[in-house]
Amino acid sequence: MTSINAQGAGSSAGKAFGAEFLALLALCSAYIQGPLTKVFDFQGAAAEMNHFGLAPAPLFAVGVPIFELAMSALILSGRLRWLGALALAIFTLMATYLALRFWEIPAGPEHSAAMNGFFEHIGLSGAFLFVALVDLRKRASRK
């Protein structure tokens, strides 16, 4: 009976790990898809950087995707997960403030869309912060 319980526990742990990985993959999905899009459309990426006033645009068009992919890799691999999550939380806050300035848009559909996007990204930043805190707690409890 002990071996059955041990197998069940192992299976349960494997499912939990799989679910955790899928949740983290979903959280990082925009930070994987976006950079891949930029890689395959460098001119579009540079134009986006110009649109947001980031200069030199080609440098940002290369650096931002590398940063997003690297931080996503830290999160998904579990290696320095807290650092990757904290970095993407801060990055998301900065990008949200830069790109979704709903308070500067007159009332109407664009204002509502920007405001909704702004608060969705605030929530996304909060989720990354939560991942960082959980990872730091796990590390502290292992010591």
Side-chain angles (χ1 to χ4, degrees), residues 3 5 39 47 65 68 92 95 100 133-134 137 143:
S3 64
N5 287 340
V39 166
E68 290 176 302
T92 301
L100 295 169
L133 292 171
V134 167
R137 283 187 193 134
K143 290 182 180 180

Side-chain angles (χ1 to χ4, degrees), residues 28 30-36 38-39 49 59-76 80-95 128:
C28 293
Y31 301 87
I32 297 169
Q33 175 273 329
L36 292 177
K38 287 175 177 64
V39 166
M49 300 306 156
L59 180 64
F60 279 95
V62 170
V64 168
I66 290 171
F67 172 81
E68 290 176 302
L69 290 171
M71 296 306 104
S72 295
L74 291 179
I75 292 168
L76 295 174
L80 296 175
R81 179 174 285 154
W82 67 270
L83 180 62
L86 185 59
L88 285 180
I90 294 167
F91 172 81
T92 301
L93 287 174
M94 291 172 28
F128 279 121

